[in-house]
Amino acid sequence: MFCMKKMLYATSLYYPSRYANRLQVLQTAEALAKRLGDDFVLGCNKIAEFGDLYTHRFVNFLTARSPILALRQMRYARANGITVMYSREYSILFMMFLYNKVFRLPLTFVLEVHEAHTDYRFAFMIRRCAHIFCLTHGLADDLRAAFDINAPITVLPDGVDIKAFAVTIDRTILRAKFGLPSDSHIVSYVGSVGTYVWKG
């Protein structure tokens, strides 16, 4: 494992947003900030408000364009003693890696992978990161098979905050309200099943 000093979670996040992955970013940031305290900062495009989803330090860099965002975040890293760049956006890390040929900061790059990409920037960065985090063992196996990776890969499955689903209304009332059968089990899924082959 890499030696932790100060970490910037480099994102192009904007919030509020209708996209679920923005919530995942905020919840990951919240968990990292609780662990690292003042040694953690979330770098965003723009956060207007987030309620209690994220309660720690963040910086709005006010652009979603990877080259500009990466440059602004690199300048911030230099000014604030950041030594670990963590991101789930390989395009931002790619630009940071290139910029660091000029900045020459003692940076460690860490990539969070949600799916394997064929983009050359992904292939470039996945071979140069000090650590890789991914969501499933199957994805970890695919990455090892497709790329020459020397860095350790840690599998951290996505989860759900059970407290967010602490419903206090009786289920018979809810079933009646939404016209659902009262004597059947109901299973639901929210997300894209057919769009991504890796979702099985």
Side-chain angles (χ1 to χ4, degrees):
M1 188 67 158
F2 52 88
C3 178
M4 183 54 63
K5 292 186 181 175
K6 288 190 174 181
M7 176 190 279
L8 174 71
Y9 186 0
T11 77
S12 60
L13 175 74
Y14 61 88
Y15 196 82
S17 169
R18 62 186 179 92
Y19 295 107
N21 68 0
R22 306 303 193 267
L23 295 174
Q24 189 272 342
V25 169
L26 286 173
Q27 290 182 328
T28 297
E30 180 74 2
L32 288 168
K34 282 181 179 174
R35 181 91 183 212
L36 302 174
D38 291 339
D39 290 333
F40 177 83
V41 63
L42 172 62
C44 318
N45 171 0
K46 184 177 180 181
I47 293 181
E49 60 84 18
F50 40 71
D52 60 357
L53 287 170
Y54 181 71
T55 58
H56 301 275
R57 192 163 50 130
F58 70 96
V59 177
N60 285 331
F61 291 97
L62 304 177
T63 181
R65 296 182 58 208
S66 291
I68 298 169
L69 184 61
L71 181 59
R72 290 178 181 173
Q73 293 185 356
M74 287 292 290
R75 287 176 174 158
Y76 181 88
R78 181 175 61 186
N80 292 277
I82 302 292
T83 56
V84 179
M85 294 295 200
Y86 180 100
S87 188
R88 61 176 277 171
E89 299 176 53
Y90 63 87
S91 57
I92 293 175
L93 285 187
F94 175 77
M95 292 308 304
M96 287 178 168
F97 188 90
L98 296 182
Y99 289 144
N100 206 35
K101 297 296 183 186
V102 175
F103 281 84
R104 297 184 182 277
L105 300 176
L107 293 177
T108 299
F109 294 92
V110 179
L111 182 61
E112 178 185 316
V113 180
H114 290 242
E115 65 180 292
H117 296 273
T118 55
D119 188 305
Y120 71 93
R121 296 170 298 176
F122 180 81
F124 182 91
M125 281 314 301
I126 203 158
R127 293 184 178 103
R128 288 164 178 83
C129 286
H131 205 102
I132 298 163
F133 292 93
C134 60
L135 301 179
T136 67
H137 290 284
L139 179 56
D141 293 342
D142 290 348
L143 293 174
R144 287 187 189 99
F147 302 97
D148 182 24
I149 299 174
N150 294 320
I153 299 176
T154 300
V155 176
L156 293 174
D158 260 353
V160 63
D161 182 358
I162 298 298
K163 291 180 288 193
F165 295 91
V167 179
T168 57
I169 303 171
D170 184 85
R171 75 173 65 180
T172 56
I173 294 171
L174 289 173
R175 285 180 184 243
K177 178 178 179 179
F178 293 106
L180 300 171
S182 61
D183 57 348
S184 301
H185 292 288
I186 298 173
V187 178
S188 67
Y189 172 78
V190 177
S192 303
V193 177
T195 307
Y196 305 103
V197 174
W198 59 268
K199 287 198 173 183

